[in-house]
Amino acid sequence: MCGIVGYIGKRNSVDVIFDGLRKLEYRGYDSSGIAVIVDKELQVRKKVGRIYNLRSDILKDPITSNIGLGHTRWATHGKPSEKNAHPHMDSTKSIVIVHNGIVENYAKLRTELLECNQEFESETDTEVIVHLIKKNYSNSLFRAVQETLSEIKGSYALGIMCKYEPDKIVCARRDAPLVIGIGQGENFIASDVTALLHYTRNVVFLEDGDIAEIMADKVIIRDIRSNIIKNREIKSILWNDAQSEKNGYKHFMLKEILEQPRTIEETFRGRIYPNEGRVYIKEFGLKDEDIKNISNIYVVACGTSYHAGLVSKFLFENFAEIPTEVDIASEFRYRNSVLSKKNLVIVISQSGETADTLAALKLAKSKDCWTLAICNVVGSSISREAENVIYTYCGPEIGVASTKAFTSQLTVLYMLAFDLANKRGKLGKEKLKEYLNELWEIPLKISGFLKNIKLLQDIAEVFISKRNFLYLGRHVNYPIALEGALKLKEISYIHAEGYAAGEMKHGPIALIDESMPIVAIVVKSGVYEKIISNIEEAKSRGGTIIALASEYDEEIVAKSDYIIYVPKVNEFISPLVTVIPLQLLAYYIAVFLGRDVDQPRNLAKSVTVE
Ligand code: AGP
């Protein structure tokens, strides 16, 4: 998944583009490049590695232009290298392109172009697009792009310039995000709004099939049938630029972990009324009658969002008594699931751009299921594809490892489960008030816990030399064990595995010896005694136990080597507190190991390719 920025207007486009690329670096960061038009000629600079490398290169030999395109890459075809970095030009150096997505028929197109003696500089799929545009170009870049797009299959967000038409950028999108920023005498394009917020909050989200011409003083958008679209809504983004800055924190990830008391509150504010025993999620458009008729719920997502889905199974089944299946999106879409009209399919996605989750959503819609998206990015592809969308309102999440988005997703899922349970007559008013009050107090309880994060730092330092970890949980905290393991492995590169504690004796216990730390989630719950015995089994085989226990629990002392006390809350609500120390443990281990915490190797913030 890559990042694209484009600018045309009165400023030096190079400055605007670097501002934007810096904000998009979390989308991909193995190489970057910039293209501008100077005196009706194209100039392109590219560098491997972080955007800083390109910036340094340009500071040594500055360029100024009122129009330009920039790109930061996460390699799909062709290894990270200068020649594979975007932008790519045609052989006559008259047309230049930046691309996010995959050209699925690029091999066939490349062969056909080679047969016409076309030379290629890179190994990328993207380069075939710019050669086709040149082939189709007569005297209109728009028409050449339009013709080319009918020849390519796959996903794209594109920015294109032509030296013969130096007053415009042409852009287009299909199954990859692209947003237009509307300024005064200047206009922008970007892969997501965080790249634009410093300059404008007024944006237009392109739809699949749109092709747009971006000039300094106007924007013309045409749909897939070339009809000019006059009424595409200009949205005003509520986020401000500062939210997508570190504001003094060493890493975005730490900032976002510590923001969670506020972001959880932002997510439920105006949606729960504990004293009245009321939930009001106005975006959840299902009518009460339909809610009563839901036969099954399918929850579909990837990664951390999938773990939030696993928690929701306990909530929908325990509170609303609705049978619930949770699926990894890349499995769900190929599993030929038996779906029907009375199924509610909930997709969860922080970015709203994950390709497999988007495809699963489209499959559910094709089977006439009710569809609901839980997203964090307004105007994202998934949020616009679903019949209804509930936003998590936790602000831009820049760290590749998802933290605040996860707890905001859980918060939405709690509210939804309580709402469904109440409307289906399974949760009375008094119990509803009790659970809503529990949720209401969570931000304060997490704030209290976050006062002693030094403990997590100290424990992390003990374990930085370990090469394997086991995370154990039961019931509603089994998904949190999975999430804790994912956090550790994705930012520290240490192998970690989350396991249902009751499964240990069915094999994994063979892994345990003195070199194996075991993180066990053993908060007070209906399965407390069971997990205590799992801990004893592990400890008796030499495992080192790091226990996440409910505050004031004394029994755990003799059974653990390290104890992290978390606030005592209702067991069904406990995932909102048990995940916090696991986020911090992973964070501090990665920091001690000198990892690139916000932009770990091989990863990207949103996987918009399959
Ligand atoms: C989480 O820390 C990872 N970065 C990753 O698993 C992520 O949750 C997954 O790619 C899903 O992303 P989404 O929520 O934007 O769809």
Side-chain angles (χ1 to χ4, degrees), residues 285-294 370 424:
L286 229 50
K287 296 190 289 297
D288 289 2
E289 197 46 41
D290 293 338
I291 285 176
K292 290 190 177 74
N293 290 326
I294 297 170
W370 287 304
R424 289 168 68 104

Side-chain angles (χ1 to χ4, degrees), residues 254-287:
L254 181 58
K255 174 186 172 214
E256 289 155 5
I257 290 172
L258 300 179
E259 279 178 338
Q260 289 178 107
R262 181 179 59 73
T263 50
I264 290 171
E265 194 172 329
E266 295 283 343
T267 302
F268 67 50
R269 183 182 296 140
R271 291 168 162 171
I272 64 171
Y273 301 87
N275 298 335
E276 301 167 31
R278 188 162 65 92
V279 178
Y280 175 61
I281 309 176
K282 66 180 183 304
E283 311 94 309
F284 182 39
L286 229 50
K287 296 190 289 297

Side-chain angles (χ1 to χ4, degrees), residues 419-431:
D419 193 28
L420 292 175
N422 183 249
K423 285 175 177 157
R424 289 168 68 104
K426 304 294 183 188
L427 188 63
K429 188 71 87 177
E430 288 316 307
K431 283 304 271 180

Side-chain angles (χ1 to χ4, degrees), residues 1-3 21-22 24-32 47-53 71-75 80 398-401 490-491 493 596-606:
M1 193 264 314
C2 309
L21 289 180
R22 196 169 50 79
L24 295 182
E25 195 168 25
Y26 69 93
R27 298 173 64 87
Y29 32 85
D30 56 48
S31 56
S32 63
K47 271 299 196 195
V48 176
R50 310 305 291 271
I51 288 164
Y52 173 79
N53 299 350
H71 185 276
T72 183
R73 184 171 184 243
W74 183 70
I398 309 298
V400 165
E490 70 174 323
I491 63 173
Y493 316 150
D596 191 339
V597 171
D598 285 332
Q599 293 160 6
R601 69 185 181 194
N602 309 338
L603 290 177
K605 181 59 183 173
S606 164

Side-chain angles (χ1 to χ4, degrees), residues 86-103:
H86 300 209
H88 291 287
M89 286 194 282
D90 74 291
S91 315
T92 67
K93 300 194 185 328
S94 53
I95 294 175
V96 69
I97 191 171
V98 289
H99 171 224
N100 176 25
I102 286 189
V103 181

Side-chain angles (χ1 to χ4, degrees), residues 114 392 483:
L114 287 168
T392 42
E483 174 59 13

Side-chain angles (χ1 to χ4, degrees), residues 474-610:
R474 278 183 180 255
H475 193 256
V476 74
N477 275 300
Y478 163 45
I480 303 305
L482 297 175
E483 174 59 13
L486 175 62
K487 288 281 107 31
L488 184 69
K489 59 188 145 188
E490 70 174 323
I491 63 173
S492 72
Y493 316 150
I494 295 173
H495 176 252
E497 204 165 355
Y499 241 93
E503 269 295 284
M504 284 306 292
K505 59 179 86 56
H506 300 285
I509 203 163
L511 288 170
I512 294 179
D513 59 22
E514 291 69 25
S515 69
M516 177 70 82
I518 294 115
V519 180
I521 306 170
V522 61
V523 293
K524 288 294 183 185
S525 71
V527 290
Y528 175 80
E529 294 308 332
K530 300 289 180 197
I531 200 159
I532 285 286
S533 55
N534 298 139
I535 288 176
E536 287 169 330
E537 289 156 12
K539 192 157 176 54
S540 62
R541 288 161 177 80
T544 305
I545 305 296
I546 304 167
L548 259 63
S550 298
E551 56 195 347
Y552 318 120
D553 177 351
E554 292 173 1
E555 183 185 348
I556 194 67
V557 175
K559 307 194 190 288
S560 317
D561 300 285
Y562 298 85
I563 302 175
I564 302 164
Y565 283 111
V566 296
K568 193 168 177 358
V569 297
N570 175 284
E571 68 173 297
F572 283 97
I573 307 272
S574 64
L576 278 172
V577 295
T578 53
V579 74
I580 308 289
L582 302 186
Q583 295 168 343
L584 286 164
L585 184 64
Y587 171 76
Y588 283 118
I589 289 176
V591 169
F592 279 122
L593 290 173
R595 304 298 190 215
D596 191 339
V597 171
D598 285 332
Q599 293 160 6
R601 69 185 181 194
N602 309 338
L603 290 177
K605 181 59 183 173
S606 164
V607 184
T608 59
V609 295
E610 288 191 32

